[in-house]
PDB file of all heavy atoms in Angstrom:
ATOM      1  N   ALA N 344     132.253 145.202  59.869  1.00 98.00           N
ATOM      2  CA  ALA N 344     133.503 145.966  59.955  1.00 98.00           C
ATOM      3  C   ALA N 344     134.048 145.886  61.370  1.00 98.00           C
ATOM      4  O   ALA N 344     133.285 145.841  62.339  1.00 98.00           O
ATOM      5  CB  ALA N 344     133.270 147.424  59.560  1.00 98.00           C
ATOM      6  N   ASP N 345     135.361 145.896  61.504  1.00 98.00           N
ATOM      7  CA  ASP N 345     136.005 145.882  62.824  1.00 98.00           C
ATOM      8  C   ASP N 345     136.099 147.319  63.340  1.00 98.00           C
ATOM      9  O   ASP N 345     137.116 147.970  63.231  1.00 98.00           O
ATOM     10  CB  ASP N 345     137.397 145.249  62.709  1.00 98.00           C
ATOM     11  CG  ASP N 345     138.136 145.243  64.042  1.00 98.00           C
ATOM     12  OD1 ASP N 345     137.485 145.425  65.085  1.00 98.00           O
ATOM     13  OD2 ASP N 345     139.374 145.071  64.025  1.00 98.00           O
ATOM     14  N   ILE N 346     135.006 147.794  63.917  1.00 98.00           N
ATOM     15  CA  ILE N 346     134.927 149.205  64.260  1.00 98.00           C
ATOM     16  C   ILE N 346     135.677 149.545  65.547  1.00 98.00           C
ATOM     17  O   ILE N 346     136.021 150.706  65.782  1.00 98.00           O
ATOM     18  CB  ILE N 346     133.457 149.657  64.357  1.00 98.00           C
ATOM     19  CG1 ILE N 346     133.355 151.181  64.215  1.00 98.00           C
ATOM     20  CG2 ILE N 346     132.806 149.160  65.648  1.00 98.00           C
ATOM     21  CD1 ILE N 346     132.002 151.689  63.875  1.00 98.00           C
ATOM     22  N   ASN N 347     135.980 148.554  66.397  1.00 97.00           N
ATOM     23  CA  ASN N 347     136.708 148.843  67.636  1.00 97.00           C
ATOM     24  C   ASN N 347     138.160 148.361  67.582  1.00 97.00           C
ATOM     25  O   ASN N 347     138.873 148.429  68.584  1.00 97.00           O
ATOM     26  CB  ASN N 347     135.991 148.238  68.841  1.00 97.00           C
ATOM     27  CG  ASN N 347     135.946 146.714  68.781  1.00 97.00           C
ATOM     28  OD1 ASN N 347     136.142 146.120  67.718  1.00 97.00           O
ATOM     29  ND2 ASN N 347     135.682 146.088  69.910  1.00 97.00           N
ATOM     30  N   GLY N 348     138.587 147.849  66.426  1.00 96.00           N
ATOM     31  CA  GLY N 348     139.996 147.527  66.240  1.00 96.00           C
ATOM     32  C   GLY N 348     140.523 146.334  66.994  1.00 96.00           C
ATOM     33  O   GLY N 348     141.716 146.261  67.287  1.00 96.00           O
ATOM     34  N   ASP N 349     139.657 145.338  67.284  1.00 96.00           N
ATOM     35  CA  ASP N 349     140.128 144.154  68.014  1.00 96.00           C
ATOM     36  C   ASP N 349     140.316 142.944  67.099  1.00 96.00           C
ATOM     37  O   ASP N 349     140.485 141.824  67.569  1.00 96.00           O
ATOM     38  CB  ASP N 349     139.172 143.808  69.150  1.00 96.00           C
ATOM     39  CG  ASP N 349     137.787 143.397  68.648  1.00 96.00           C
ATOM     40  OD1 ASP N 349     137.545 143.463  67.425  1.00 96.00           O
ATOM     41  OD2 ASP N 349     136.942 143.015  69.484  1.00 96.00           O
ATOM     42  N   SER N 350     140.242 143.190  65.780  1.00 95.00           N
ATOM     43  CA  SER N 350     140.466 142.163  64.742  1.00 95.00           C
ATOM     44  C   SER N 350     139.278 141.247  64.514  1.00 95.00           C
ATOM     45  O   SER N 350     139.374 140.299  63.720  1.00 95.00           O
ATOM     46  CB  SER N 350     141.703 141.299  65.069  1.00 95.00           C
ATOM     47  OG  SER N 350     142.865 142.105  65.154  1.00 95.00           O
ATOM     48  N   TYR N 351     138.139 141.499  65.155  1.00 96.00           N
ATOM     49  CA  TYR N 351     136.939 140.699  64.931  1.00 96.00           C
ATOM     50  C   TYR N 351     135.890 141.543  64.202  1.00 96.00           C
ATOM     51  O   TYR N 351     135.675 142.711  64.561  1.00 96.00           O
ATOM     52  CB  TYR N 351     136.357 140.196  66.245  1.00 96.00           C
ATOM     53  CG  TYR N 351     137.311 139.341  67.046  1.00 96.00           C
ATOM     54  CD1 TYR N 351     137.745 139.752  68.304  1.00 96.00           C
ATOM     55  CD2 TYR N 351     137.781 138.135  66.540  1.00 96.00           C
ATOM     56  CE1 TYR N 351     138.622 138.971  69.044  1.00 96.00           C
ATOM     57  CE2 TYR N 351     138.671 137.350  67.268  1.00 96.00           C
ATOM     58  CZ  TYR N 351     139.085 137.776  68.515  1.00 96.00           C
ATOM     59  OH  TYR N 351     139.966 137.017  69.241  1.00 96.00           O
ATOM     60  N   PRO N 352     135.220 140.974  63.202  1.00 97.00           N
ATOM     61  CA  PRO N 352     134.211 141.750  62.480  1.00 97.00           C
ATOM     62  C   PRO N 352     132.976 142.014  63.329  1.00 97.00           C
ATOM     63  O   PRO N 352     132.402 141.093  63.912  1.00 97.00           O
ATOM     64  CB  PRO N 352     133.875 140.861  61.273  1.00 97.00           C
ATOM     65  CG  PRO N 352     134.196 139.465  61.731  1.00 97.00           C
ATOM     66  CD  PRO N 352     135.358 139.603  62.665  1.00 97.00           C
ATOM     67  N   ASP N 353     132.598 143.272  63.425  1.00 98.00           N
ATOM     68  CA  ASP N 353     131.406 143.684  64.162  1.00 98.00           C
ATOM     69  C   ASP N 353     130.269 143.947  63.183  1.00 98.00           C
ATOM     70  O   ASP N 353     130.469 144.016  61.972  1.00 98.00           O
ATOM     71  CB  ASP N 353     131.710 144.932  64.983  1.00 98.00           C
ATOM     72  CG  ASP N 353     132.952 144.766  65.844  1.00 98.00           C
ATOM     73  OD1 ASP N 353     132.998 143.799  66.622  1.00 98.00           O
ATOM     74  OD2 ASP N 353     133.878 145.596  65.717  1.00 98.00           O
ATOM     75  N   ILE N 354     129.066 144.094  63.716  1.00 98.00           N
ATOM     76  CA  ILE N 354     127.896 144.398  62.893  1.00 98.00           C
ATOM     77  C   ILE N 354     127.427 145.814  63.211  1.00 98.00           C
ATOM     78  O   ILE N 354     127.114 146.127  64.359  1.00 98.00           O
ATOM     79  CB  ILE N 354     126.753 143.396  63.146  1.00 98.00           C
ATOM     80  CG1 ILE N 354     127.175 141.984  62.691  1.00 98.00           C
ATOM     81  CG2 ILE N 354     125.481 143.831  62.409  1.00 98.00           C
ATOM     82  CD1 ILE N 354     126.159 140.913  63.039  1.00 98.00           C
ATOM     83  N   ILE N 355     127.415 146.656  62.193  1.00 98.00           N
ATOM     84  CA  ILE N 355     126.864 148.003  62.321  1.00 98.00           C
ATOM     85  C   ILE N 355     125.561 148.010  61.532  1.00 98.00           C
ATOM     86  O   ILE N 355     125.562 147.711  60.335  1.00 98.00           O
ATOM     87  CB  ILE N 355     127.838 149.076  61.799  1.00 98.00           C
ATOM     88  CG1 ILE N 355     129.156 149.038  62.594  1.00 98.00           C
ATOM     89  CG2 ILE N 355     127.209 150.455  61.924  1.00 98.00           C
ATOM     90  CD1 ILE N 355     130.206 148.119  62.013  1.00 98.00           C
ATOM     91  N   LEU N 356     124.459 148.333  62.186  1.00 98.00           N
ATOM     92  CA  LEU N 356     123.131 148.138  61.597  1.00 98.00           C
ATOM     93  C   LEU N 356     122.267 149.383  61.760  1.00 98.00           C
ATOM     94  O   LEU N 356     122.323 150.046  62.796  1.00 98.00           O
ATOM     95  CB  LEU N 356     122.463 146.929  62.256  1.00 98.00           C
ATOM     96  CG  LEU N 356     121.059 146.528  61.813  1.00 98.00           C
ATOM     97  CD1 LEU N 356     120.948 144.994  61.740  1.00 98.00           C
ATOM     98  CD2 LEU N 356     119.996 147.064  62.775  1.00 98.00           C
ATOM     99  N   THR N 357     121.489 149.680  60.726  1.00 98.00           N
ATOM    100  CA  THR N 357     120.475 150.727  60.842  1.00 98.00           C
ATOM    101  C   THR N 357     119.099 150.081  60.908  1.00 98.00           C
ATOM    102  O   THR N 357     118.839 149.057  60.267  1.00 98.00           O
ATOM    103  CB  THR N 357     120.499 151.704  59.648  1.00 98.00           C
ATOM    104  OG1 THR N 357     120.373 150.970  58.420  1.00 98.00           O
ATOM    105  CG2 THR N 357     121.777 152.509  59.632  1.00 98.00           C
ATOM    106  N   ASN N 358     118.229 150.669  61.699  1.00 97.00           N
ATOM    107  CA  ASN N 358     116.828 150.244  61.723  1.00 97.00           C
ATOM    108  C   ASN N 358     115.965 151.495  61.734  1.00 97.00           C
ATOM    109  O   ASN N 358     116.042 152.316  62.633  1.00 97.00           O
ATOM    110  CB  ASN N 358     116.536 149.348  62.936  1.00 97.00           C
ATOM    111  CG  ASN N 358     116.675 150.055  64.261  1.00 97.00           C
ATOM    112  OD1 ASN N 358     117.752 150.509  64.621  1.00 97.00           O
ATOM    113  ND2 ASN N 358     115.573 150.150  64.993  1.00 97.00           N
ATOM    114  N   GLY N 359     115.180 151.654  60.665  1.00 95.00           N
ATOM    115  CA  GLY N 359     114.366 152.851  60.543  1.00 95.00           C
ATOM    116  C   GLY N 359     113.326 152.771  59.449  1.00 95.00           C
ATOM    117  O   GLY N 359     112.783 153.804  59.030  1.00 95.00           O
ATOM    118  N   ASP N 360     113.034 151.553  58.975  1.00 94.00           N
ATOM    119  CA  ASP N 360     111.994 151.417  57.955  1.00 94.00           C
ATOM    120  C   ASP N 360     110.667 151.896  58.541  1.00 94.00           C
ATOM    121  O   ASP N 360     110.212 151.385  59.549  1.00 94.00           O
ATOM    122  CB  ASP N 360     111.888 149.970  57.504  1.00 94.00           C
ATOM    123  CG  ASP N 360     110.904 149.782  56.353  1.00 94.00           C
ATOM    124  OD1 ASP N 360     110.356 150.793  55.864  1.00 94.00           O
ATOM    125  OD2 ASP N 360     110.669 148.632  55.944  1.00 94.00           O
ATOM    126  N   ASN N 361     110.070 152.877  57.893  1.00 89.00           N
ATOM    127  CA  ASN N 361     108.845 153.466  58.438  1.00 89.00           C
ATOM    128  C   ASN N 361     107.796 153.623  57.347  1.00 89.00           C
ATOM    129  O   ASN N 361     107.013 154.570  57.368  1.00 89.00           O
ATOM    130  CB  ASN N 361     109.158 154.842  59.058  1.00 89.00           C
ATOM    131  CG  ASN N 361     108.476 155.016  60.402  1.00 89.00           C
ATOM    132  OD1 ASN N 361     107.825 154.112  60.905  1.00 89.00           O
ATOM    133  ND2 ASN N 361     108.622 156.190  60.982  1.00 89.00           N
ATOM    134  N   GLY N 362     107.773 152.680  56.403  1.00 79.00           N
ATOM    135  CA  GLY N 362     106.848 152.816  55.281  1.00 79.00           C
ATOM    136  C   GLY N 362     105.706 151.834  55.290  1.00 79.00           C
ATOM    137  O   GLY N 362     104.982 151.720  54.304  1.00 79.00           O
ATOM    138  N   ASP N 363     105.502 151.110  56.392  1.00 78.00           N
ATOM    139  CA  ASP N 363     104.472 150.072  56.408  1.00 78.00           C
ATOM    140  C   ASP N 363     103.242 150.496  57.203  1.00 78.00           C
ATOM    141  O   ASP N 363     102.686 151.555  56.972  1.00 78.00           O
ATOM    142  CB  ASP N 363     105.063 148.765  56.935  1.00 78.00           C
ATOM    143  CG  ASP N 363     106.099 148.190  55.979  1.00 78.00           C
ATOM    144  OD1 ASP N 363     105.923 148.331  54.763  1.00 78.00           O
ATOM    145  OD2 ASP N 363     107.094 147.617  56.454  1.00 78.00           O
ATOM    146  N   ASN N 364     102.867 149.697  58.185  1.00 81.00           N
ATOM    147  CA  ASN N 364     101.589 149.905  58.885  1.00 81.00           C
ATOM    148  C   ASN N 364     101.662 150.842  60.082  1.00 81.00           C
ATOM    149  O   ASN N 364     100.638 151.144  60.677  1.00 81.00           O
ATOM    150  CB  ASN N 364     101.042 148.548  59.350  1.00 81.00           C
ATOM    151  CG  ASN N 364     100.722 147.632  58.188  1.00 81.00           C
ATOM    152  OD1 ASN N 364     100.034 148.019  57.258  1.00 81.00           O
ATOM    153  ND2 ASN N 364     101.241 146.412  58.245  1.00 81.00           N
ATOM    154  N   SER N 365     102.862 151.271  60.445  1.00 87.00           N
ATOM    155  CA  SER N 365     102.988 152.127  61.639  1.00 87.00           C
ATOM    156  C   SER N 365     103.938 153.284  61.368  1.00 87.00           C
ATOM    157  O   SER N 365     105.003 153.365  61.974  1.00 87.00           O
ATOM    158  CB  SER N 365     103.489 151.299  62.827  1.00 87.00           C
ATOM    159  OG  SER N 365     104.740 150.703  62.507  1.00 87.00           O
ATOM    160  N   PRO N 366     103.556 154.193  60.471  1.00 89.00           N
ATOM    161  CA  PRO N 366     104.465 155.302  60.112  1.00 89.00           C
ATOM    162  C   PRO N 366     104.492 156.415  61.159  1.00 89.00           C
ATOM    163  O   PRO N 366     104.121 157.560  60.906  1.00 89.00           O
ATOM    164  CB  PRO N 366     103.879 155.800  58.787  1.00 89.00           C
ATOM    165  CG  PRO N 366     102.414 155.511  58.897  1.00 89.00           C
ATOM    166  CD  PRO N 366     102.316 154.224  59.688  1.00 89.00           C
ATOM    167  N   VAL N 367     104.925 156.058  62.365  1.00 93.00           N
ATOM    168  CA  VAL N 367     105.106 157.038  63.428  1.00 93.00           C
ATOM    169  C   VAL N 367     106.580 157.037  63.798  1.00 93.00           C
ATOM    170  O   VAL N 367     107.281 156.031  63.637  1.00 93.00           O
ATOM    171  CB  VAL N 367     104.236 156.714  64.664  1.00 93.00           C
ATOM    172  CG1 VAL N 367     102.763 156.860  64.330  1.00 93.00           C
ATOM    173  CG2 VAL N 367     104.539 155.310  65.194  1.00 93.00           C
ATOM    174  N   PHE N 368     107.082 158.146  64.301  1.00 94.00           N
ATOM    175  CA  PHE N 368     108.483 158.224  64.682  1.00 94.00           C
ATOM    176  C   PHE N 368     108.712 157.372  65.929  1.00 94.00           C
ATOM    177  O   PHE N 368     108.008 157.501  66.924  1.00 94.00           O
ATOM    178  CB  PHE N 368     108.890 159.675  64.921  1.00 94.00           C
ATOM    179  CG  PHE N 368     108.760 160.517  63.680  1.00 94.00           C
ATOM    180  CD1 PHE N 368     107.883 161.585  63.634  1.00 94.00           C
ATOM    181  CD2 PHE N 368     109.513 160.220  62.552  1.00 94.00           C
ATOM    182  CE1 PHE N 368     107.761 162.362  62.492  1.00 94.00           C
ATOM    183  CE2 PHE N 368     109.399 160.984  61.398  1.00 94.00           C
ATOM    184  CZ  PHE N 368     108.521 162.052  61.371  1.00 94.00           C
ATOM    185  N   LYS N 369     109.715 156.517  65.833  1.00 96.00           N
ATOM    186  CA  LYS N 369     109.946 155.521  66.874  1.00 96.00           C
ATOM    187  C   LYS N 369     111.260 155.823  67.597  1.00 96.00           C
ATOM    188  O   LYS N 369     112.297 156.012  66.943  1.00 96.00           O
ATOM    189  CB  LYS N 369     109.974 154.129  66.257  1.00 96.00           C
ATOM    190  CG  LYS N 369     108.673 153.780  65.511  1.00 96.00           C
ATOM    191  CD  LYS N 369     108.780 152.438  64.812  1.00 96.00           C
ATOM    192  CE  LYS N 369     107.448 152.049  64.174  1.00 96.00           C
ATOM    193  NZ  LYS N 369     107.087 152.912  63.020  1.00 96.00           N
ATOM    194  N   PRO N 370     111.263 155.842  68.921  1.00 96.00           N
ATOM    195  CA  PRO N 370     112.470 156.209  69.672  1.00 96.00           C
ATOM    196  C   PRO N 370     113.597 155.194  69.544  1.00 96.00           C
ATOM    197  O   PRO N 370     114.741 155.502  69.878  1.00 96.00           O
ATOM    198  CB  PRO N 370     111.975 156.291  71.131  1.00 96.00           C
ATOM    199  CG  PRO N 370     110.767 155.407  71.166  1.00 96.00           C
ATOM    200  CD  PRO N 370     110.125 155.564  69.829  1.00 96.00           C
ATOM    201  N   TYR N 371     113.293 153.999  69.057  1.00 97.00           N
ATOM    202  CA  TYR N 371     114.322 152.963  68.922  1.00 97.00           C
ATOM    203  C   TYR N 371     114.885 152.881  67.506  1.00 97.00           C
ATOM    204  O   TYR N 371     115.703 152.009  67.215  1.00 97.00           O
ATOM    205  CB  TYR N 371     113.770 151.594  69.357  1.00 97.00           C
ATOM    206  CG  TYR N 371     112.397 151.261  68.784  1.00 97.00           C
ATOM    207  CD1 TYR N 371     112.256 150.678  67.527  1.00 97.00           C
ATOM    208  CD2 TYR N 371     111.252 151.542  69.504  1.00 97.00           C
ATOM    209  CE1 TYR N 371     111.009 150.372  67.009  1.00 97.00           C
ATOM    210  CE2 TYR N 371     109.989 151.242  69.010  1.00 97.00           C
ATOM    211  CZ  TYR N 371     109.876 150.658  67.756  1.00 97.00           C
ATOM    212  OH  TYR N 371     108.643 150.368  67.246  1.00 97.00           O
ATOM    213  N   HIS N 372     114.456 153.766  66.608  1.00 97.00           N
ATOM    214  CA  HIS N 372     115.068 153.831  65.285  1.00 97.00           C
ATOM    215  C   HIS N 372     116.428 154.514  65.383  1.00 97.00           C
ATOM    216  O   HIS N 372     116.592 155.497  66.108  1.00 97.00           O
ATOM    217  CB  HIS N 372     114.178 154.609  64.316  1.00 97.00           C
ATOM    218  CG  HIS N 372     113.112 153.769  63.688  1.00 97.00           C
ATOM    219  ND1 HIS N 372     112.184 154.273  62.803  1.00 97.00           N
ATOM    220  CD2 HIS N 372     112.828 152.449  63.801  1.00 97.00           C
ATOM    221  CE1 HIS N 372     111.372 153.302  62.406  1.00 97.00           C
ATOM    222  NE2 HIS N 372     111.744 152.191  63.006  1.00 97.00           N
ATOM    223  N   GLY N 373     117.397 154.005  64.624  1.00 98.00           N
ATOM    224  CA  GLY N 373     118.713 154.636  64.655  1.00 98.00           C
ATOM    225  C   GLY N 373     119.799 153.739  64.117  1.00 98.00           C
ATOM    226  O   GLY N 373     119.547 152.817  63.337  1.00 98.00           O
ATOM    227  N   VAL N 374     121.027 154.004  64.537  1.00 98.00           N
ATOM    228  CA  VAL N 374     122.192 153.210  64.141  1.00 98.00           C
ATOM    229  C   VAL N 374     122.727 152.498  65.379  1.00 98.00           C
ATOM    230  O   VAL N 374     122.808 153.090  66.467  1.00 98.00           O
ATOM    231  CB  VAL N 374     123.273 154.086  63.477  1.00 98.00           C
ATOM    232  CG1 VAL N 374     123.742 155.205  64.399  1.00 98.00           C
ATOM    233  CG2 VAL N 374     124.465 153.245  63.035  1.00 98.00           C
ATOM    234  N   ARG N 375     123.094 151.221  65.206  1.00 98.00           N
ATOM    235  CA  ARG N 375     123.531 150.398  66.324  1.00 98.00           C
ATOM    236  C   ARG N 375     124.832 149.678  65.980  1.00 98.00           C
ATOM    237  O   ARG N 375     125.048 149.293  64.821  1.00 98.00           O
ATOM    238  CB  ARG N 375     122.462 149.339  66.666  1.00 98.00           C
ATOM    239  CG  ARG N 375     121.127 149.933  67.041  1.00 98.00           C
ATOM    240  CD  ARG N 375     120.021 148.880  67.141  1.00 98.00           C
ATOM    241  NE  ARG N 375     118.732 149.516  67.352  1.00 98.00           N
ATOM    242  CZ  ARG N 375     118.226 149.839  68.540  1.00 98.00           C
ATOM    243  NH1 ARG N 375     118.911 149.539  69.635  1.00 98.00           N
ATOM    244  NH2 ARG N 375     117.065 150.434  68.640  1.00 98.00           N
ATOM    245  N   VAL N 376     125.657 149.506  66.980  1.00 98.00           N
ATOM    246  CA  VAL N 376     126.899 148.741  66.833  1.00 98.00           C
ATOM    247  C   VAL N 376     126.805 147.514  67.735  1.00 98.00           C
ATOM    248  O   VAL N 376     126.592 147.634  68.948  1.00 98.00           O
ATOM    249  CB  VAL N 376     128.135 149.579  67.202  1.00 98.00           C
ATOM    250  CG1 VAL N 376     129.396 148.697  67.179  1.00 98.00           C
ATOM    251  CG2 VAL N 376     128.294 150.749  66.243  1.00 98.00           C
TER     252      VAL N 376
END
Side-chain angles (χ1 to χ4, degrees):
D345 178 17
I346 200 162
N347 64 342
D349 64 356
S350 300
Y351 301 117
D353 308 305
I354 295 174
I355 300 90
L356 180 140
T357 55
N358 65 297
D360 185 3
N361 224 3
D363 293 325
N364 297 309
S365 58
V367 294
F368 298 117
K369 302 175 175 69
Y371 47 86
H372 275 179
V374 58
R375 301 170 186 273
V376 174

